[in-house]
Amino acid sequence: MKQTFGAFLKEKRLALDLSLREFAGKVGMQPSNYCNIEADVLPPPPAAGLERIGKALGLKKGTADYAIFHNLAGKGRDEIPADIERLIKENELIPAMLRTVEYENVTKEQLLGIIKDLKSGRYKKTKSQG
């Protein structure tokens, strides 16, 4: 069974040992609305609500859970994940990179290789590049 946004939220909330009512209050939502999000009756909230929920869950940028959270939210809203949309808006080279991937017919395996190469640390700034 594929994981849903609501199931992910519930799992993370329970890991924090918080009741639904406590967590809803913590993120500024009505418990009934939050319950419906966890039950996948309502779609994930827009970016501002996601930010509050992610922060309350203790999700950190760069972690697998952060990526899963945003990917599931984007899928649940049938939108580009909010963090990716922000990256696209903040860096004018991201659209060019995505178009290059499409125009050059880069395969999934090639993309995985590119990601692995980027994660290797090879492109990290040194103090002299600062």
Side-chain angles (χ1 to χ4, degrees), residues 47 80-95 98:
I80 294 171
D83 63 326
I84 302 302
E85 185 175 349
R86 178 187 50 76
L87 289 171
I88 291 169
K89 289 178 180 178
E90 290 176 358
N91 187 331
E92 70 275 1
L93 293 177
I94 299 293
L98 293 173

Side-chain angles (χ1 to χ4, degrees), residues 66-115:
Y66 183 88
I68 291 167
F69 173 75
H70 282 284
N71 289 344
L72 290 172
K75 187 172 184 171
R77 294 183 61 80
D78 195 25
E79 296 175 351
I80 294 171
D83 63 326
I84 302 302
E85 185 175 349
R86 178 187 50 76
L87 289 171
I88 291 169
K89 289 178 180 178
E90 290 176 358
N91 187 331
E92 70 275 1
L93 293 177
I94 299 293
M97 181 191 67
L98 293 173
R99 287 186 187 102
T100 301
V101 165
E102 181 178 334
Y103 301 158
E104 298 299 323
N105 297 312
V106 176
T107 66
K108 185 175 183 178
E109 291 76 23
Q110 289 170 316
L111 279 174
L112 289 170
I114 292 167
I115 291 167

Side-chain angles (χ1 to χ4, degrees), residues 38-82:
E38 274 195 6
D40 293 309
V41 173
L42 288 177
L50 284 179
E51 181 78 22
R52 289 191 309 272
I53 292 170
K55 187 175 180 180
L57 291 174
L59 302 178
K60 306 281 187 234
K61 285 183 184 179
T63 64
D65 279 345
Y66 183 88
I68 291 167
F69 173 75
H70 282 284
N71 289 344
L72 290 172
K75 187 172 184 171
R77 294 183 61 80
D78 195 25
E79 296 175 351
I80 294 171

